[in-house]
């Protein structure tokens, strides 16, 4: 299974969101459930326990986000992997809500990513416009003007002055 930032090593225990078919799940996408699968099992007291049979097989070489490597993970190679189901069990027809919950989580993540990009663009615009207002234009000489001020509108530019 390919997972972005699958085993980044940024914390003690990586938690994976995994789609899998539960026992009694209908065939096809309606029967898929959503599970939390920790890299290391968590004991009842909250301490870390035994490894959970989640193995990082390889890291993908890709263009783009170099800090978010896509990892190829294997789950249950030794039949010792467990996950915690999110949401209700499958109904009487074997339908589960796992895929719908995963899409909801992914859409929330996309909205967060868009918000982050919007904030970065606003900050870049703020700094670029401030730089453009304050930068000095022209060749070095005794009389230079700030960018944006012209000889014809020097009196109209309130903050502009000869330097």
């Amino acid at each position: 299974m390919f997972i972005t930032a699958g085993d980044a090593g940024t914390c003690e225990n990586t938690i994976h969101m995994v789609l899998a078919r539960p026992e009694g799940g209908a065939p096809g996408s309606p029967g898929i459930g959503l599970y939390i699968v920790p890299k290391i099992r968590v004991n009842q007291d909250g301490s870390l326990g035994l490894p959970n049979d989640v193995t990082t097989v390889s890291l993908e070489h890709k263009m783009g986000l170099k800090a978010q490597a896509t990892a190829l993970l294997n789950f249950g190679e030794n039949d010792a992997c467990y996950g915690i189901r999110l949401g209700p069990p499958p109904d009487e027809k074997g339908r589960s809500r796992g895929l719908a919950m995963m899409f909801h989580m992914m859409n929330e993540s996309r909205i967060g990513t868009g918000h982050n990009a919007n904030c970065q663009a606003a900050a870049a615009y703020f700094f670029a416009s401030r730089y453009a207002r304050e930068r000095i234009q022209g060749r070095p000489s005794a009389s230079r003007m700030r960018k944006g001020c012209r000889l014809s509108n020097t009196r109209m530019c309130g903050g502009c002055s000869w330097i």
Side-chain angles (χ1 to χ4, degrees):
M1 175 178 299
F2 291 99
I3 297 181
T4 300
D7 196 6
T10 56
C11 57
E12 285 185 89
N13 193 11
T14 305
I15 307 296
H16 305 287
M17 302 284 282
V18 178
L19 292 170
R21 188 169 321 284
E23 216 173 285
S29 59
I32 293 176
L34 182 63
Y35 295 86
I36 295 174
V37 181
K39 182 178 175 182
I40 302 171
R41 295 179 187 222
V42 180
N43 297 325
Q44 290 295 330
D45 63 355
S47 64
L48 296 179
L50 299 171
N52 192 21
D53 198 13
V54 178
T55 310
T56 304
V57 179
S58 68
L59 295 177
E60 293 296 305
H61 301 284
K62 64 177 187 172
M63 297 170 57
L65 294 173
K66 301 289 187 189
Q68 297 291 325
T70 300
L72 175 60
L73 303 176
N74 282 350
F75 295 90
E77 288 289 311
N78 301 315
D79 292 329
C81 185
Y82 86 103
I84 302 163
R85 184 184 64 236
L86 294 176
D91 64 11
E92 65 278 347
K93 293 183 181 178
R95 294 177 300 203
S96 187
R97 300 227 352 103
L99 194 60
M101 291 185 335
M102 178 66 91
F103 279 128
H104 181 77
M105 182 201 64
M106 289 169 55
N107 285 338
E108 290 290 325
S109 180
R110 288 180 180 129
I111 290 169
T113 301
H115 180 70
N116 187 358
N118 192 25
C119 290
Q120 288 182 25
Y125 174 78
F126 170 77
F127 289 115
S129 64
R130 187 174 78 187
Y131 171 77
R133 279 193 311 272
E134 294 174 355
R135 93 179 167 104
I136 305 300
Q137 74 174 11
R139 288 185 227 129
S141 69
S143 60
R144 293 191 295 177
M145 293 175 50
R146 285 194 185 122
K147 184 79 171 163
C149 291
R150 301 279 182 254
L151 291 174
S152 61
N153 66 358
T154 304
R155 280 185 284 167
M156 292 185 284
C157 283
C160 296
S161 61
W162 290 91
I163 295 178

